[in-house]
Amino acid sequence: FIDGLALRYLQQAGLLQPLINSGHAISIHKNTVDEWRALLATEPQTEEMKAALDDIRLVLKEGLLSGKVQFLTPSKRQRGQLNEIALLPVMDLLEDISPVEAAVVDDRMFADNSLLTDSNGITVPLLSSLDLLDTLVARGTMCAEEYRDALHTLRARCFFCIPISPVDLLLYIECTSVHDGQIRETAELRGIREYLARLHSTDVLCTQSDLEYLDSIWNCGTLAIAKLWANETMPILETVAKADWIVANVIPNIELVMRFALDGPDRIGQVIANRAGANLLGISSSAERRQAQAKWFEDSSLADPLPANADVLEQIATQASDVLVRRTREIAIELKRRDS
């Protein structure tokens, strides 16, 4: 089963037809098409929306004729009721989910659940459209390049919490050129910058669970920076320019991130220390490069928390010592296992 929002995401990313052709049996709610028609009637001037709806209609028609797409069975309990709850497609899904093997629903209320159980006790995996994309890649239906292009399209249309992986960010930023200390953005990098700027300019990231997405963004940025400094073949000035771009456009501002956190004041110092410590991962074997990285680290990571950066350094040292002790124990256990 795919709900209306997930269906629209897949269509706009150019993935609806490949999904239909993948051989999976797909169920949609009959009201979905009716809602699209009603929306179209309210905005007749939107040519792009017309084209998108026509495209979805044609794809669904082909799927219905081939038997790859079927309408979800309407709820018998809710039949005849006209209240807002009864009209929700999920009510039909919760009554009888037996025709489907998984439900794809893009909804923040459902996002904290991994399973969906109907009134008969039947349980199926609850996925998002992003999970569906991962499945298509894992099964070989979609290649890695198509996956990256799909995520870029979703970011360009400002869909909610589209992930950014360190591998993709590093791929994009390593391909850019640097002139006068500034990088020349590719379409992908510009899309990432504008996407994150739009998200941060609103209050859409306002729940505790949203902090996980923001944490993933800064983890992505710091890991990409570490890889840049570890790249011995990249000139230092180019590395600095690209690392600066990531700090300015990818890694969220700490105060912005913590504004909705319940433990914001207590967590700020910890997060700053974690970020600063992560920036030390890519230590180079070149003395010149290490000195340049140390200066960049001081300017980019330690200047902001002044005059409290002594506390930050203490936290970094504590974390580093904890990691060293843990790794030493792991190595000792591994050596003991080999000797035995």
Side-chain angles (χ1 to χ4, degrees):
F1 171 79
I2 304 178
D3 78 333
L5 184 58
L7 201 65
R8 183 160 61 90
Y9 285 3
L10 293 171
Q11 187 276 328
Q12 292 188 352
L15 301 172
L16 185 56
Q17 186 65 59
L19 177 61
I20 297 296
N21 295 336
S22 67
H24 296 82
I26 300 170
S27 299
I28 63 171
H29 197 278
K30 186 176 183 300
N31 287 350
T32 299
V33 177
D34 295 335
E35 291 173 0
W36 289 335
R37 288 175 177 170
L39 182 60
L40 183 60
T42 62
E43 300 185 20
Q45 74 280 5
T46 310
E47 295 299 326
E48 183 178 358
M49 184 178 294
K50 288 182 180 181
L53 294 179
D54 287 340
D55 188 20
I56 292 176
R57 190 178 297 112
L58 290 174
V59 172
L60 292 180
K61 180 180 179 181
E62 293 176 2
L64 289 168
L65 292 176
S66 65
K68 294 180 179 179
V69 176
Q70 61 183 3
F71 285 116
L72 193 66
T73 305
S75 169
K76 296 180 181 180
R77 299 178 182 178
Q78 304 292 336
R79 188 174 298 168
Q81 300 185 35
L82 297 179
N83 59 75
E84 294 182 358
I85 300 298
L87 294 176
L88 292 175
V90 72
M91 298 305 296
D92 297 335
L93 196 62
L94 291 174
E95 180 168 328
D96 182 14
I97 203 173
S98 58
V100 304
E101 297 179 358
V104 181
V105 180
D106 287 316
D107 188 286
R108 297 182 72 182
M109 183 180 67
F110 283 85
D112 293 334
N113 301 283
S114 59
L115 299 172
L116 190 65
T117 304
D118 67 8
S119 60
N120 299 315
I122 298 175
T123 300
V124 299
L126 180 61
L127 310 175
S128 69
S129 54
L130 294 175
D131 296 324
L132 187 58
L133 294 184
D134 292 336
T135 301
L136 294 178
V137 172
R139 296 187 177 183
T141 306
M142 176 187 295
C143 68
E145 184 176 356
E146 292 172 327
Y147 178 78
R148 285 193 295 268
D149 290 343
L151 295 185
H152 172 65
T153 300
L154 294 176
R155 290 189 203 102
R157 299 181 183 277
C158 207
F159 292 137
F160 185 73
C161 285
I162 305 302
I164 304 171
S165 75
V167 174
D168 291 347
L169 179 59
L170 197 63
L171 176 67
Y172 295 147
I173 204 160
E174 284 186 334
C175 295
T176 62
S177 58
V178 175
H179 296 273
D180 297 328
Q182 301 293 326
I183 72 169
R184 289 188 173 180
E185 290 181 343
T186 62
E188 291 80 9
L189 288 179
R190 183 173 63 254
I192 290 174
R193 173 175 57 79
E194 293 177 347
Y195 173 71
L196 293 176
R198 285 194 295 266
L199 284 183
H200 294 315
S201 67
T202 66
D203 290 341
V204 65
L205 300 175
C206 59
T207 68
Q208 286 293 107
S209 59
D210 293 333
L211 291 176
E212 297 180 8
Y213 175 74
L214 293 171
D215 285 348
S216 73
I217 295 299
W218 78 257
N219 280 324
C220 166
T222 51
L223 287 174
I225 290 173
K227 292 289 186 180
L228 289 176
W229 280 110
N231 184 355
E232 304 280 352
T233 62
M234 183 178 292
I236 290 177
L237 292 179
E238 180 180 343
T239 302
V240 169
K242 293 180 176 182
D244 284 344
W245 187 93
I246 293 176
V247 170
N249 299 294
V250 176
I251 298 179
N253 176 278
I254 184 62
E255 293 183 358
L256 190 65
V257 171
M258 294 293 113
R259 57 181 171 166
F260 295 114
L262 297 179
D263 56 346
D266 297 330
R267 196 181 179 208
I268 284 180
Q270 178 186 359
V271 173
I272 291 178
N274 289 341
R275 291 184 182 180
N279 285 335
L280 298 175
L281 293 175
I283 301 299
S284 170
S285 60
S286 165
E288 180 185 8
R289 199 169 181 85
R290 287 199 303 272
Q291 291 176 359
Q293 183 178 4
K295 184 179 184 308
W296 176 86
F297 170 72
E298 183 175 354
D299 294 340
S300 65
S301 299
L302 296 185
D304 286 344
L306 281 172
N309 55 10
D311 294 334
V312 173
L313 287 174
E314 183 178 352
Q315 291 190 49
I316 294 174
T318 301
Q319 293 175 13
S321 64
D322 291 343
V323 171
L324 182 60
V325 170
R326 185 176 70 251
R327 290 293 297 143
T328 301
R329 290 174 178 172
E330 292 173 353
I331 293 173
I333 293 173
E334 180 63 24
L335 292 176
K336 185 177 180 180
R337 183 182 297 112
R338 290 181 181 181
D339 293 339
S340 60

